[in-house]
Amino acid sequence: MTYRNPVVPGFYPDPSAIRVGDTYYLVNSSFNYFPGVPLFESHDLVNWTQIGHVLTRPSQLPLKGAGTGGGIYAPTLRYNDGRFYMVTTNVSFGGNFYVYTDDIHGEWSDPIAVEQGGIDPSLYFEDGHAYFMSNGDDDEGNHGITQCEIDIATGKKLTPSKVIWTGAGGRYLEGPHLYKVDGSYYLLASEGGTEYGHMMVYARGDNPFGPFTNYAGNPVLTNRNLGGYQIQGTGHADLVDDGHGHWFLIHLAFRQLDRWIQHHTLGRETYLTPVQFGADGWFTAGDHGTTRAVMSAPGLENVVQKPRLLPLSFHNTAIGREWVTLREPDSARYCFDQDVLALRPNQYGLEEREVSPTALFMRQRAFFSTVRVTVDVTANAAGLAAYMTEDLHYDAIVERVEDQVKVARRLRVGPATTTDHVHVLPAGPVTLILETTNYQYHFYAEADGERFDLGEADAHYLSSENAGNFTGVMLGLFTEQTDEPDADWIKFSDFAIEYPKEEDVE
């Protein structure tokens, strides 16, 4: 059987995966979006279903003032003695912490802080001991992959923090994970930066604290030399087995706008690459050390890959699952009944950097899609956005002006904001349409049977290369106060996302 990458398309970066029995679980970074740390489930490693988020309460996820480069960085998911643990870093508030649950489909605990600093934390359990590692400085000021033993009940350090590995020689050593396979300890990490030089490296030792010997073939996985190939930035992996001797790397990569244009808009996505252990105990990965769009792997012969993207509407999406907010929301301003979404605007717009505007966002998961929503604005303004950051977003906006509505396109690119393609229409519902491709975002409006072209804008301006961030484009339904602070709710209806084709990667 062959399968197509990415297995989880869209802005789902820094994956960490485990197997418990015959079920796999996966978590991803979420940065300044609430709730945090998307949680997925699978029975075959290829087909994944989101079952919620890990961090669902403000007590777990303070985000005030967290910008697009803040909030929740790379999480690690682990399972020990009947309990699930998720450890991560809130780079805006508090640093490293973990939460736990005995029911993966239920609520998770409040955070338990860990005394060790750094980012990209991980846990390793063995014989009643809990080891915590991160990339940062140890107690003597040495920099590298740093580890200590902790009391898993309290997060307190039981041993000093010690650098156990300094990597294979690349820059930006990060994302460490420790495993024990056939009596040997494997330390896996990323180097090169989470960009075009990204790569996976590893080392092996006989003790959880080393010393570790580098794999002679490092990097074990990278697409950094695949010129003219759409999948780039391969790295930040977790190693998982199927219980039958087959091993895989769950890792991130991104898709350029095409095979030659070095811009990506969808963010870093989740990919699956097979691993092969040799008789000498060292492993190799992928297609000669690379990740490809179409792959096959032992252990997946009987797996049938389902469509990765299905049409979406208000009926099969939910706030807190597909729909998220920027930072912690004022929940009293949201009402969702599966037919109509009602939002009550506050004084904050999409340029807000401290708190949460009244807006909902969903990840753009494909280059090619059509998004539709009908907006009924009785006061103030609302619209449909392709949002990358506070400084980079394209909007179609409907504003109530007395007994009329003004429909326009608004482009925010850095310090420049333009509003054009303005149409003044009789008051009433307006349907906003966004057609996306790998090159363009094209807005339209429909009212009273007439269609208005609001113009197109280049996709590459919303890329991570321009934004300098780690997220991807989000599709947003937003509101803005333009006149009445305590006006009626704004209603959104007939929301739909359709995907015209299963996208092929070149």
Side-chain angles (χ1 to χ4, degrees), residues 27-357:
V27 292
N28 302 97
S29 299
S30 52
F31 295 90
N32 61 336
Y33 288 97
F34 186 96
V37 186
L39 176 63
F40 290 83
E41 183 178 78
S42 174
H43 293 285
D44 56 25
L45 285 169
V46 172
N47 300 292
W48 293 91
T49 300
Q50 187 174 359
I51 58 175
H53 286 80
V54 173
L55 305 176
T56 59
R57 305 187 301 275
S59 62
Q60 298 169 314
L61 187 56
L63 289 173
K64 184 178 180 181
T68 187
I72 296 296
Y73 277 28
T76 297
L77 184 65
R78 292 294 181 258
Y79 181 77
N80 181 64
D81 196 22
R83 176 164 286 180
F84 295 89
Y85 296 87
M86 190 284 298
V87 57
T88 188
T89 313
N90 187 333
V91 299
S92 301
F93 294 95
N96 291 323
F97 70 93
Y98 58 90
V99 293
Y100 63 85
T101 185
D102 297 331
D103 177 9
I104 193 71
H105 295 93
E107 288 289 311
W108 293 67
S109 71
D110 277 341
I112 298 174
V114 181
E115 294 175 324
Q116 182 170 295
I119 60 170
D120 297 358
S122 187
L123 288 170
Y124 174 72
F125 295 94
E126 183 177 2
D127 297 334
H129 298 274
Y131 300 96
F132 177 89
M133 68 168 55
S134 58
N135 61 301
D137 296 333
D138 69 9
D139 289 349
E140 297 180 355
N142 303 305
H143 188 80
I145 301 305
T146 301
Q147 183 169 266
C148 65
E149 185 179 349
I150 65 170
D151 179 348
I152 196 61
T154 65
K156 299 294 184 182
K157 288 168 57 173
L158 301 178
T159 66
S161 296
K162 176 185 177 182
V163 167
I164 60 173
W165 192 42
T166 56
R171 65 175 184 166
Y172 302 143
L173 178 64
E174 60 187 343
H177 297 303
L178 184 66
Y179 316 88
K180 189 176 185 180
V181 181
D182 294 334
S184 293
Y185 295 88
Y186 293 81
L187 183 49
L188 182 68
S190 298
E191 291 180 340
T194 184
E195 49 200 33
Y196 291 89
H198 216 23
M199 54 186 169
M200 293 306 307
V201 296
Y202 77 97
R204 189 174 71 178
D206 297 324
N207 185 285
F209 282 91
F212 291 95
T213 301
N214 286 348
Y215 169 52
N218 277 328
V220 66
L221 183 71
T222 183
N223 282 19
R224 65 183 181 179
N225 295 321
L226 282 182
Y229 198 69
Q230 197 171 8
I231 297 173
Q232 296 292 328
T234 301
H236 202 108
D238 212 351
L239 185 66
V240 63
D241 76 302
D242 67 356
H244 303 287
H246 306 117
W247 291 84
F248 303 85
L249 288 176
I250 296 279
H251 62 91
L252 66 78
F254 56 79
R255 288 177 283 169
Q256 299 179 157
L257 297 182
D258 66 24
R259 60 189 296 184
W260 300 114
I261 297 179
Q262 289 190 321
H263 291 268
H264 68 286
T265 56
L266 301 184
R268 298 167 302 155
E269 306 173 294
T270 295
Y271 289 70
L272 178 70
T273 297
V275 165
Q276 303 83 35
F277 273 88
D280 59 359
W282 297 102
F283 65 82
T284 59
D287 181 359
H288 298 89
T290 66
T291 294
R292 299 290 178 157
V294 179
M295 305 199 79
S296 60
L300 300 180
E301 292 86 355
N302 298 320
V303 174
V304 176
Q305 188 171 31
K306 301 174 184 177
R308 291 170 292 175
L309 299 172
L310 298 173
L312 298 178
S313 69
F314 282 154
H315 293 277
N316 62 358
T317 58
I319 296 177
R321 194 176 62 215
E322 293 83 6
W323 293 107
V324 296
T325 62
L326 278 166
R327 298 171 284 273
E328 311 101 301
D330 178 355
S331 59
R333 295 182 179 273
Y334 297 79
C335 182
F336 190 31
D337 67 3
Q338 301 299 304
D339 289 308
V340 175
L341 168 69
L343 302 179
R344 193 172 188 179
N346 55 22
Q347 65 267 40
Y348 309 110
L350 295 181
E351 287 74 28
E352 173 60 30
R353 300 174 186 274
E354 291 293 322
V355 296
S356 185

